[in-house]
Every structure is written in C-alpha cells, then in structure tokens.
Amino acid sequence: MEINKELLIEPFDEIYYRSCFYNPLISSIYYYGGTVFPILAEDIGVYQYIESTSGFQLNERNIGRPVVDILKDMNIHLDSDFFLPESPIESIQKAIQAGTPVFVPIDRYYWKANPEYQKEHARHYFLIIGYDERNFKIIDSRTLDSTSGTSFLNKISFQEVKESVRGWELWDGKDESINITRIMGTVKNGDPIAIHESIECFRNNLCLHYNEIKAGIEDIRKAAHSYANLESLDKINIQNIASDISQLKKLKVIEMFRYKKFFDTKSELPLSLMENTIKSFGLVQGALIKLKVTGKLRTDVVESIHQRMMEIYENELRVLDVIYSYCN
C-alpha cells in the first residue's frame, strides 16, 4: 500500500451549504463530474410553525427528495459495507487507494484541532481524501457564522479518527442513517449535468408545492403573533428558537444562491428582498439572545421582534410571487 495518497478533490466553498454534512458531500459530487444544481432544484424548505404546551417554534421542513436519491440520479452511490470496525484505518486507506473519498461522522469532543475539544460533545462530518504516514487529509467545513463560511483542506491524525469515530458511536450512534461511508461514482470527463435540466426540475417542484410553500409563509405570521403576545419568558425556550432562526437564515442563503444560479438575469428585486430577510432574521436572533441574557420580558424588544417577523412575512410573499411568475 502506498505511504502517501491524495485524491484530486477541490473543496466546495461557494457558500456554506446548510451544514458540515453538505459541503464535503458536494465536493465529492464535483469530483465525479456532477454539480450542485440537482440538489438546489430539490432543496426546497417550507416554514413550519409548531405550538405545544412547552411553547412554540418556527422552523422548516424539506419537501424535496432525499439526497441519496438525487445522488443515484448522478450515478453516485454511498457504501458503508466497506468499513471494518476492527481495522478502521486500513479500511479507509483501501477506499482512498481505490479512488473513492470517505465521508466520516465524528464526535468533535475528541478532535484536538476543534474548539470544542474535550469541552462539548457535538456531531461533525468531514471528507477524507488522502493520507500520509500519520494523518488523513480531509475536506472540512466549519464556520461560526451560519450565513458564510468555506470548506478547506485540513489534517487529522489516525489516532484522532479512531477516537472521534468511536466517540460518535458511543455518544450519538443511535442515528444509524449516517455511518462511515465511501462515496462511489464514475468520474466523467464530459460536461456536467446541464443547468437547464435542474431549472426545469425546480420549476416543476415550485408549481407542485406552491400552495404548501405559501401556507408555510403564513406560519411566519403565526409566529409573529405569538411573539407579540408573550406573557412570560417561561413559556418559550429561547435557545431553541434562536437555533431555529439560525437554520432559517441558512435556508435563505441557499435560496439566494439558487436564484443567482437559476434566475440571475431576471430581476434584482428578489435578491434585495432575500438579503433583507436574512438581515431581519439576524436581528430577531440578536433580540432573542438579549431577552435570554437579561432574563426580562422587555416590551420594546418584543415589539421589535414582532415587527421584524412581519417584515419577513411580507418579503417572503413577494419573493414567492416573483419567482413563481418565472416558472409559468
């Protein structure tokens, strides 16, 4: 077996795509001659308001097809059978030797290069693309700001991979939907999947789910009403709500990215509205943190949150109508 081996995979860093799960995965798609366009065509989020005895939440649910099915359409397959727990390093090295990158879930608690090292258990994903005498070469995606970030090349020692993978299995291994997986496909030298096919797919999805998306936007108004009528901080989990807002910001960044790729020649209006929505979500997030820090239900802050949520509601209706007009 070669002592040094590295696959020629470039990090995907056009945007921070949702989470550490996606950016390394999209890097593999480009390696096999694909593009992000088929994922963009299917990655449609719908707002979802949930109310219960413990409070309320505004988050999103995806109505597109599972990523695994989209990958199959690009002739890319995920294989976890290659991995042998009794010889983890050798299993990964053999996969790299065969020209297949390896997608790895870890517990960041055990990764020395990570800020959460031995502080906090947290799930993380990266893509192993090579190795030398002591380390694996990886494509990693980390950012403190959910609206930006890059993927970059990094290293992690063999021992850290062993500990991190084992830590993930012990701490969060009940989620068996994602395991150590090699990403297999056929490297293509020709043109990638034509963008017009993905645009047509997105148009079909938007037409099919238009009423569902619009009903989801109405949920923003429900959330705004709940904010305006807060009687006590005890009735909401501010930490969870702020986390949901962060995810919604990522959703809007993806929608901006998609618009630029699919419809950029149409109009700048949706872009400005999306930018305003991202800014408003950021202000709502900051206001929620202010409530959490002070521990007091300040009327001016609550009114500010309600106002921003209503602005988001109006922006989202306008964006939907404009983009829907392009699809007919």
Side-chain angles (χ1 to χ4, degrees), residues 1 83-95 131 134 136 157-162:
M1 185 179 293
F83 184 73
L84 302 176
E86 63 273 17
S87 54
I89 305 305
E90 293 78 5
S91 297
I92 296 173
Q93 287 176 326
K94 287 180 180 179
Y131 61 87
R134 298 180 179 179
F136 282 118
S157 71
F158 295 158
Q159 186 60 34
E160 284 178 280
V161 169
K162 282 184 179 180

Side-chain angles (χ1 to χ4, degrees), residues 89-109:
I89 305 305
E90 293 78 5
S91 297
I92 296 173
Q93 287 176 326
K94 287 180 180 179
I96 299 299
Q97 282 285 330
T100 55
V102 179
F103 191 68
V104 179
I106 66 164
D107 180 357
R108 291 190 295 189
Y109 183 89

Side-chain angles (χ1 to χ4, degrees), residues 153-167:
L153 297 174
N154 204 342
K155 287 186 177 182
I156 181 171
S157 71
F158 295 158
Q159 186 60 34
E160 284 178 280
V161 169
K162 282 184 179 180
E163 293 176 358
S164 300
V165 169
R166 182 57 179 159

Side-chain angles (χ1 to χ4, degrees), residues 225-240:
H225 179 75
S226 293
Y227 283 123
N229 290 278
L230 277 179
E231 297 177 356
S232 169
L233 291 181
D234 296 334
K235 294 186 177 181
I236 61 171
N237 187 320
I238 291 181
Q239 188 64 44
N240 287 348

Side-chain angles (χ1 to χ4, degrees), residues 12 20 26 58 77 96 98 104 116 119 125 127 130 145 150 154 188 196 213 227 230 256 272 275 296:
F12 175 79
C20 58
I26 295 171
L58 180 69
H77 305 277
I96 299 299
V104 179
E116 287 83 13
K119 294 180 181 177
Y125 302 99
L127 186 74
D145 178 1
T150 58
N154 204 342
K188 301 175 183 178
H196 66 82
I213 297 169
Y227 283 123
L230 277 179
M256 280 187 63
S272 63
E275 287 172 352
K296 297 179 180 180

Side-chain angles (χ1 to χ4, degrees), residues 223-277:
H225 179 75
S226 293
Y227 283 123
N229 290 278
L230 277 179
E231 297 177 356
S232 169
L233 291 181
D234 296 334
K235 294 186 177 181
I236 61 171
N237 187 320
I238 291 181
Q239 188 64 44
N240 287 348
I241 293 176
S243 177
D244 289 338
I245 294 295
S246 177
Q247 293 300 317
L248 294 177
K249 284 168 58 181
K250 292 178 186 178
L251 176 65
K252 294 299 108 181
V253 171
I254 292 170
E255 289 186 1
M256 280 187 63
F257 181 70
R258 175 168 55 217
Y259 183 83
K260 290 177 181 178
K261 295 294 184 182
F262 288 0
F263 304 112
D264 196 26
T265 59
K266 298 284 187 179
S267 169
E268 292 185 1
L269 175 61
L271 285 178
S272 63
L273 292 172
M274 291 175 191
E275 287 172 352
N276 287 339
T277 292

Side-chain angles (χ1 to χ4, degrees), residues 278-294:
I278 292 170
K279 181 180 178 181
S280 293
F281 271 136
L283 292 171
V284 169
Q285 191 175 14
L288 287 167
I289 292 172
K290 185 181 292 185
L291 290 178
K292 180 177 175 61
V293 171
T294 61

